[in-house]
Amino acid sequence: MYVIKGRVIDGNGNMIEKGVVVTDGNKIKTVCEEDAFIMPQDAEVLEVKDATIMPGFIEQHVHLGLGTANYLMVYYKTDVQKTCQAVHDMEKLLEAGFTSVREVGGFGNYLAEAVEEGLVKGPRICSAGKILSMTGGHGDFIQKLPIGTNAERNHVSVIADGVDEVRKACRMQFREGAKFIKTMTTGGVTSQADSPKASQYTLSEIRAMVEEAELRGSYVSSHAQTLAGIKNALKGGIKSIEHGMELDDECIELFHKTGAWLVPTFTVVKTYMDHMDILPPYAAEKIIIANRNHLASFKKAYEAGIKIGFGADLVGDKNICPYGINGMEFVLLNKAGMTPMETIVAATKTGSELIMREDELGTLEPGKLADITICEGNPLDDISILADVNKIKMVILDGKIIKNIA
């Protein structure tokens, strides 16, 4: 049993200035005011000077095992290299306070088993398996390579065209352990030949994906940067829009109608904009197009009360966007208009909804799993604390101390 004393931010938007969180095994037993707590004789007290105790953070847009912003390398790296990169990335996520991740394209469904068995150190993983992409779409990254190379060497996406192929691709992802489906309904930045402005997949194809997911009690998430593809995604029943860089009033109405989430991924945009000199030329050109309306669109969604998620969309490129800086998303969401408390709720409670484990994770409440992140200082006064891995003093995953530099 651990007794943790400090400032408590519970994930529901509440704070206890002098609080206590008690764990018993892998569950949270008590959350209360320190003055109302009677210390058990067998308890081990954990204290961090000027500590803030929060639910473990949930990163809602990751791709494990890439290690590069040049997607040509996705085809050249061996499976062993990709796995080693993923293990490295997962350790960095834990160090930064992220105890769960939502992988939106990759082989995280296989890594999840290894983590659960204790073979490797990593956060809980909710994976979509491979992303569904049409031929020539955003997941068909390097189009000068033979089309067969994608199936042989690309662990991030699978090519599927037409309703029948899309259905089979969805069923295959679920067969291999995926918890939800990820697709591309617009072009993007890191693919070679398409444009962020391009709409991808027809409504009938999108609806087939949604139907397959709903048959399994799940949902579809979509990379969707610009208007036409965002609207098609929402009209087709997709529940999570990743990026959402161009939104109008009709989009907002569709978000409200469907109850969809928006995961804006500001961090990847900032890191790419900051390193345009070393990005592949085609990506450097397209990030400017993609970023043009990003902030204004986010503010429109936020002011309209759309549910906002937390995802940095890093790929582990050590020179551009390494894992471990994921907490930058707190700062950027705050700069975009969210309060510090709202950013923490986005990274905890909202995240638990996106990974479909809100009954177990995302808030500090009795009976929930003991995933806890503890920082030095008060992030409500200075949200940048959560972007500094050295100020993340303690991380508890499933009741076990994973990091302790208190």
Side-chain angles (χ1 to χ4, degrees):
M1 178 182 290
Y2 293 129
V3 175
I4 313 165
K5 295 182 179 181
R7 184 182 301 105
V8 176
I9 295 175
D10 67 1
N12 283 313
N14 306 311
M15 185 188 76
I16 305 172
E17 182 58 41
K18 292 184 178 181
V20 171
V21 176
V22 181
T23 69
D24 188 3
N26 72 335
K27 297 285 183 71
I28 295 171
K29 183 177 182 180
T30 305
V31 181
C32 66
E33 297 271 0
E34 186 177 347
D35 290 346
F37 180 68
I38 300 172
M39 183 71 68
Q41 290 185 348
D42 61 342
E44 181 178 348
V45 179
L46 304 178
E47 291 194 73
V48 177
K49 184 179 178 181
D50 187 24
T52 300
I53 308 159
M54 296 162 286
F57 302 146
I58 301 171
E59 231 291 14
Q60 297 146 48
H61 193 119
V62 306
H63 301 285
L64 297 170
L66 287 174
T68 176
N70 182 348
Y71 274 38
L72 179 62
M73 296 306 297
V74 171
Y75 298 91
Y76 288 162
K77 287 189 175 186
T78 67
D79 290 345
V80 173
Q81 286 174 304
K82 292 170 185 175
T83 303
C84 290
Q85 180 71 48
V87 171
H88 172 273
D89 295 343
M90 290 192 295
E91 290 183 357
K92 292 295 183 183
L93 283 159
L94 283 176
E95 289 171 13
F98 293 90
T99 54
S100 297
V101 298
R102 173 178 173 256
E103 190 194 47
V104 286
F107 54 81
N109 46 349
Y110 299 112
L111 294 167
E113 255 183 60
V115 170
E116 288 167 9
E117 292 174 10
L119 299 176
V120 293
K121 186 178 177 182
R124 303 176 189 275
I125 299 172
C126 174
S127 177
K130 290 184 176 181
I131 306 165
L132 273 63
S133 171
M134 70 181 201
T135 299
H138 183 43
D140 190 0
F141 298 116
I142 307 296
Q143 293 175 20
K144 291 181 181 179
L145 294 176
I147 189 67
T149 307
N150 197 80
E152 295 168 4
R153 303 294 307 143
N154 180 3
H155 72 284
V156 180
S157 57
V158 59
I159 306 301
D161 298 304
V163 168
D164 289 344
E165 284 190 13
V166 159
R167 285 192 186 280
K168 185 168 184 178
C170 287
R171 292 171 184 176
M172 184 62 73
Q173 302 321 301
F174 284 120
R175 180 181 185 272
E176 295 186 357
K179 300 294 189 259
F180 65 104
I181 296 297
K182 167 75 182 300
T183 190
M184 312 285 203
T185 58
T186 72
V189 171
T190 49
S191 46
Q192 189 179 43
D194 60 358
S195 166
K197 290 284 187 181
S199 180
Q200 298 181 0
Y201 276 128
T202 63
L203 264 175
S204 59
E205 289 169 315
I206 292 168
R207 284 172 177 151
M209 298 177 206
V210 169
E211 184 177 3
E212 290 298 322
E214 288 178 346
L215 286 170
R216 290 160 180 81
S218 187
Y219 71 95
V220 180
S221 161
S222 179
H223 164 103
Q225 293 185 345
T226 50
L227 282 177
I230 293 170
K231 290 177 182 179
N232 271 353
L234 293 169
K235 288 174 182 177
I238 283 174
K239 290 293 186 183
S240 176
I241 298 298
E242 314 298 310
H243 315 302
M245 293 170 169
E246 189 177 47
L247 302 175
D248 63 10
D249 291 341
E250 184 184 359
C251 289
I252 298 302
E253 289 177 14
L254 287 166
F255 268 103
H256 281 305
K257 183 178 179 180
T258 61
W261 296 278
L262 172 67
V263 184
T265 66
F266 283 118
T267 300
V268 71
V269 176
K270 180 179 180 356
T271 57
Y272 278 21
M273 293 291 286
D274 288 348
H275 296 92
M276 289 181 64
D277 57 325
I278 56 175
L279 283 175
Y282 61 85
E285 291 171 7
K286 291 197 286 181
I287 193 65
I288 296 171
I289 299 170
N291 188 44
R292 194 165 289 153
N293 300 306
H294 196 186
L295 182 59
S297 292
F298 170 81
K299 288 183 175 180
K300 181 184 283 285
Y302 170 66
E303 290 167 3
I306 303 305
K307 294 183 289 185
I308 307 294
F310 181 109
D313 192 17
L314 304 178
V315 297
D317 189 308
K318 63 182 180 181
N319 297 313
I320 299 173
C321 46
Y323 277 94
I325 66 166
N326 304 68
M328 187 187 299
E329 192 73 11
F330 288 107
V331 177
L332 297 175
L333 287 170
N334 179 228
K335 285 183 177 178
M338 293 179 77
T339 67
M341 181 67 87
E342 286 171 335
T343 70
I344 293 169
V345 172
T348 55
K349 184 176 183 177
T350 303
S352 70
E353 296 168 3
L354 277 157
I355 65 171
M356 298 168 287
R357 298 189 69 174
E358 59 266 41
D359 292 340
E360 301 174 286
L361 299 168
T363 57
L364 298 177
E365 297 180 79
K368 290 201 171 183
L369 293 172
D371 286 10
I372 299 168
T373 294
I374 304 170
C375 74
E376 177 186 290
N378 185 352
L380 300 184
D381 292 336
D382 180 7
I383 196 65
S384 69
I385 288 169
L386 302 184
D388 185 347
V389 69
N390 295 312
K391 291 185 178 177
I392 303 298
K393 295 296 184 179
M394 194 176 296
V395 179
I396 297 172
L397 173 63
D398 204 36
K400 300 179 182 67
I401 298 174
I402 301 299
K403 176 183 180 180
N404 186 0
I405 57 171

